[in-house]
Amino acid sequence: MPLKHLLKLADLSTEEILSILDTADQLKSDKKKGIAHPILKGKTLGMIFRKSSTRTRVSFEVGMYDLGGAALFLSSQDLQIGRGEPVQDTARVLSRYLDGIMIRTFDQEEVEALAECGSIPVINGLTDYCHPCQVLADLMTIREFKGSLPGKKLCYIGDGNNMANSLIVGGIKTGMKVAVACPPDYEPDQELMQWASANGDFLCTPDVAQAAEGADVLYTDVWASMGQEGEAEERKKIFKSYQINDAVLAKAADDAMVLHCLPAHREEEITAKVFEAHAKEIFEEAENRLHAQKAVLVKLMADQSL
Ligand code: CP
Ligand code: NVA
């Protein structure tokens, strides 16, 4: 069955994830060679944002432009949805104008409702629960730097948030070993962790050194996500030792790469020294948002394959 939406990575098979990564690689290589693929000519993507964004907004907008289509930035502050118009009605109205919707919001349920009530593809551009677009770009970047995914160890250090949830699913589905280090009470989604333990090599521990041992990829994210600004000071205390620094890097494989979805808070979840030493892979990762999302747009919205 062709892919209808990208709501969360758990909905995708391993083959579907790998096929998106292959298409992303091709789109990246073709863009560098100046080969265009205007296969979304005449199509429009609406981008609903209830939270801020640099990468997601710009990469989707440029991605649609690259593919011959157009993108509309729709801030929830200006839409009626921000004044309480039900998502079910928004979905049915937007389905009559647009060919696809990307949404960044708080509740995963809102994304699922948009998909259920509308008749066009819906892409999750981040919820409190997950960030599938980011992890597709992350997997693409790991493949680029490490050659392949199966058997490689991915270690996530920090808050068991949307990034942790999606990295666990993406890592396990592509055959990686996944270890997460989180403080007690800040672990990733319990159901997802149970699924990961049953389906692959998965560890969740409060011990950063144990999680980082022999890792091929070290990954971190902010201690306070969007919507948690009020907890930022308290979280600084709780997460103090959940930082990627030289000592953690020394536990990982000699050629370990470091990734960060960005924005980064230097000297909080990552030291400035480690961040700058690994800027090459971190900014390649940011670039890959564009290529990976173009692949998603092609899979969901094009009438033909590349
Ligand atoms: N990583 C990421 O999603 O960045 P933005 O919040 O800038 O979109
Ligand atoms: N966990 C972060 C990710 C930002 C891309 C947040 O939700 O704010």
Side-chain angles (χ1 to χ4, degrees):
M1 245 201 359
L3 213 54
K4 264 177 79 181
H5 305 285
L6 175 60
L7 308 180
K8 54 185 184 301
L9 287 183
D11 298 337
L12 272 58
S13 65
T14 300
E15 293 67 34
E16 284 168 333
I17 293 174
L18 295 177
S19 171
I20 291 171
L21 300 186
D22 290 343
T23 302
D25 286 345
Q26 190 191 337
L27 285 164
K28 181 172 185 175
S29 145
D30 285 354
K31 187 172 164 93
K32 308 267 175 207
K33 290 185 208 144
I35 301 168
H37 292 283
I39 65 172
L40 294 186
K41 190 165 181 292
K43 304 221 178 198
T44 310
L45 177 78
M47 308 187 301
I48 303 175
F49 283 92
R50 281 198 193 265
K51 292 174 174 173
S52 305
S53 170
T54 297
R55 282 144 287 269
T56 306
R57 176 184 174 178
V58 178
S59 55
F60 266 109
E61 201 160 328
V62 172
M64 280 304 288
Y65 178 81
D66 277 358
L67 294 167
L72 270 77
F73 173 69
L74 306 167
S75 161
S76 64
Q77 282 181 340
D78 304 320
L79 292 174
Q80 296 288 10
I81 202 172
R83 295 178 57 243
E85 182 170 18
V87 66
Q88 290 78 0
D89 295 355
T90 306
R92 286 180 285 185
V93 171
L94 293 183
S95 292
R96 290 172 183 253
Y97 304 139
L98 302 166
D99 301 287
I101 301 175
M102 194 286 302
I103 177 164
R104 166 168 287 197
T105 188
F106 294 86
D107 296 333
Q108 179 71 15
E109 292 69 33
E110 188 173 33
V111 179
E112 308 267 349
L114 203 54
E116 199 177 311
C117 301
S119 55
I120 55 176
V122 172
I123 301 170
N124 182 343
L126 180 147
T127 60
D128 291 346
Y129 176 66
C130 65
H131 197 0
C133 292
Q134 178 66 52
V135 170
L136 289 171
D138 299 338
L139 295 172
M140 179 184 179
T141 313
I142 299 168
R143 266 202 342 184
E144 244 176 70
F145 280 80
K146 297 286 168 201
S148 64
L149 300 174
K152 299 283 184 308
K153 181 173 175 181
L154 167 64
C155 166
Y156 174 87
I157 296 169
D159 188 20
N161 59 14
N162 44 12
M163 280 312 313
N165 287 339
S166 285
L167 284 165
I168 291 169
V169 178
I172 294 292
K173 284 209 178 217
T174 55
M176 298 183 81
K177 299 174 195 160
V178 180
V180 299
C182 307
D185 300 330
Y186 291 87
E187 289 100 352
D189 183 81
Q190 287 297 332
E191 227 175 274
L192 267 186
M193 291 203 290
Q194 274 168 21
W195 170 87
S197 301
N199 287 280
D201 188 329
F202 175 72
L203 169 77
C204 177
T205 170
D207 185 340
V208 174
Q210 187 193 2
E213 188 69 46
D216 300 291
V217 187
L218 290 175
Y219 200 114
T220 192
D221 182 19
V222 291
W223 291 338
S225 287
M226 290 181 276
Q228 297 172 334
E229 289 79 5
E231 299 171 30
E233 285 313 307
E234 188 196 345
R235 281 172 171 264
K236 274 184 196 168
K237 291 180 210 137
I238 295 165
F239 286 93
K240 201 160 61 83
S241 53
Y242 290 81
Q243 181 191 64
I244 300 188
N245 51 33
D246 284 341
V248 172
L249 210 51
K251 297 279 174 200
D254 290 342
D255 61 349
M257 62 190 291
V258 176
L259 293 177
H260 193 307
C261 56
L262 304 176
H265 292 178
R266 288 162 176 78
E267 308 310 333
E268 290 186 19
E269 74 274 6
I270 189 165
T271 60
K273 184 170 170 231
V274 170
F275 184 91
E276 289 308 329
H278 292 271
K280 188 168 181 285
E281 53 256 36
I282 292 170
F283 289 100
E284 201 66 37
E285 175 191 15
E287 176 184 323
N288 285 342
R289 292 293 305 276
L290 171 66
H291 311 299
Q293 284 156 203
K294 279 169 72 179
V296 170
L297 292 167
V298 167
K299 299 273 181 204
L300 295 181
M301 288 169 63
D303 300 322
Q304 66 204 63
S305 48
L306 270 196

